[in-house]
Amino acid sequence: MRRHLVLFLICCLCGLMITASCAHARPPKPGPNFVWVSPHVAPGGVKVPGHWQYQGPRVADREWIPGHYGPGGQWIDGHWRPLGAPPQPHSVWVPGHHGPGGRWIPGHWK
């Protein structure tokens, strides 16, 4: 009886270790007015990974671009796109991202 209990506990622990490695944590919330969209399969059969979706009011001078698949088939996270011309010729828009230590850095011109 005791031997079966030990074997059962070992199997449970192994199962927990295997499933724990498959778990994926959602990325930190990028700001207020965002809701988490769970991974799902779109009507066309496309697998959409979990992502944050902006559900807030319009923001002056910026537009929210929802997460989508790019031309090369890679997933592009949702990001803010500035409206209007860049402040300097040849400026490049850097979308908001998490910097060192996980701190959120809003999108900006570089």
Side-chain angles (χ1 to χ4, degrees):
M1 174 81 167
R2 184 177 170 105
R3 186 173 170 189
H4 292 292
L5 180 61
V6 172
L7 186 58
F8 174 75
L9 290 174
I10 290 173
C11 288
C12 288
L13 287 174
C14 288
L16 285 174
M17 290 180 0
I18 291 170
T19 58
S21 65
C22 298
H24 297 282
R26 70 174 66 162
K29 189 173 183 178
N33 301 316
F34 283 85
V35 295
W36 179 253
V37 178
S38 296
H40 62 280
V41 177
V46 176
K47 293 182 181 179
V48 178
H51 60 280
W52 289 104
Q53 176 66 45
Y54 183 70
Q55 297 284 315
R58 293 174 79 69
V59 176
D61 301 329
R62 293 191 290 169
E63 173 186 22
W64 177 254
I65 306 299
H68 60 281
Y69 283 100
Q74 78 282 11
W75 178 257
I76 299 172
D77 288 325
H79 57 277
W80 291 103
R81 179 174 69 188
L83 299 173
Q88 300 285 329
H90 308 293
S91 294
V92 176
W93 178 254
V94 179
H97 58 280
H98 294 281
R103 188 177 65 108
W104 179 253
I105 300 171
H108 57 278
W109 290 104
K110 180 177 176 184

